[in-house]
Amino acid sequence: MSLNAMEAGASPAVSHDEEKALVSKVAWRLMPLIMVCYLFAFFDRINISFAKFQLQADLSLSDTAYGLGAGLFVVGYVIFEVPSNMMLYKVGARRWIARIMMSWGLATALMVFVNSEWQFYVLRFVIGAMEAGFAPGVLYYLTLWFPQHYRGRITSMLFLASAFAGLVGAPFSGLVLEHLDGVMDMRGWHWLFLLGGVPCIGLGLLVLTLLKDRIEDAHWLTPSEKTLLSSRIAQHEPHKAHGSLLAALKIPGFLTLGLIYFLIQVASYGLNFWAPQLIRSAGTESPVMIGLLTAIPYICGAISMVVIGRLSDATGERRKYVAGLVAVGALGFFSAGIFASHTTFLIVALGLLGAGIIASIPSFWTLPPKLLAGAGAGAAGGIAVINTLGQFGGIVSPVMVGRIKDMTGSTTPALYVIGVCALIAVALLMWGLPQKLRTLDKA
């Protein structure tokens, strides 16, 4: 199919069931591999929270030093995020996503050689730099394959992998730390990083082999299916060849979205990097039990993602659902602070956190494509900029929580601060966004 036909927004007369069947066919072809890749990406991001106790003991790290090392991952990620996504647009998503997977997998596996504080800092920065661009790159890639009114459930499918990373990764990490510690003269946390990094190299090779950059290259679609899919995508957001990142930055509401995502990520990293510590502080000592309990917020997040993704697509409402989820997350943070010493109530609070904050992220990512429709290269770079602004939350959150804990001996004050950040995000979502982001997405 020609680019002109796509830009014309030709819309073949087909039934809704035929269109739905086509989207389902594309999803089954692309999403399993993408979801597995994202699962490992998220696990390699949060596995440091499970390695924390052994890592701190072996390297003599304070909570502030641990928080700094956790945050340096995001520093590397932030610095290379936008350049990485601009390269993705130039060389094609398939090649660039494969490169990201293989390089960050190798860097993660190299954590087994860390034996000092400065090596920990350096390699955490390198891992973040190697992974830079993966999440926004995949999000941009999905805009090339799925019509706007299917984005809620498709984005939820993608981020469902992050929930599974916590759901499976938490108990898996506990088992590795407890049962592989000392095997082949390696510590449990060494095995954790090795088993998280090496599979990413193989997944990168699969991405290079199985994914396609354009609808026109998909040999598994018929000519009529290619025409239909391209026209449905172009109908809402024709991709202009000469869109620029600077033009995207000037769009009203762009920086507000970046601020909202920053506040959401402050909350997200607060959960991802400190949940095992909260559970341990409440009285649970077994690594396996800590892993099992840490999986609970991710179970709640997975359920919430699926339910809200479908409701969001059915109603076309995006903004209010994001605001509602973040509000639930704020309630979870305040509750976690109040019940920090009571394991049962703490787990309930963490469940609220998972249902709210974890599920708010895929819901949030239905908003930027509405704002950046038609921006071409600016869309790829714009999505990366919003993600980059958000990732600053991953620098602020772990360092802030670690510093507060070192100063006060408790994480409770930090939980209240994060809860307030979440409420500010709710206010911006409800009253700070332009009209373009208040409209409903309808098929």
Side-chain angles (χ1 to χ4, degrees), residues 103-148:
S103 61
W104 110 56
L106 178 61
T108 298
L110 290 176
M111 280 288 292
V112 300
F113 297 108
V114 169
N115 55 29
S116 68
E117 185 173 328
W118 73 266
Q119 290 176 346
F120 171 58
Y121 292 152
V122 169
L123 199 50
R124 285 295 296 173
F125 176 86
V126 171
I127 294 171
M130 292 300 99
E131 191 185 329
F134 176 75
V138 170
L139 288 165
Y140 172 70
Y141 182 71
L142 296 181
T143 69
L144 305 178
W145 286 89
F146 295 98
Q148 186 183 75

Side-chain angles (χ1 to χ4, degrees), residues 2-27:
S2 69
L3 181 62
N4 290 337
M6 288 176 61
E7 292 181 342
S11 180
V14 296
S15 70
H16 174 71
D17 288 342
E18 289 176 295
E19 178 184 342
K20 186 176 179 181
L22 174 56
V23 171
S24 179
K25 178 179 179 179
V26 174

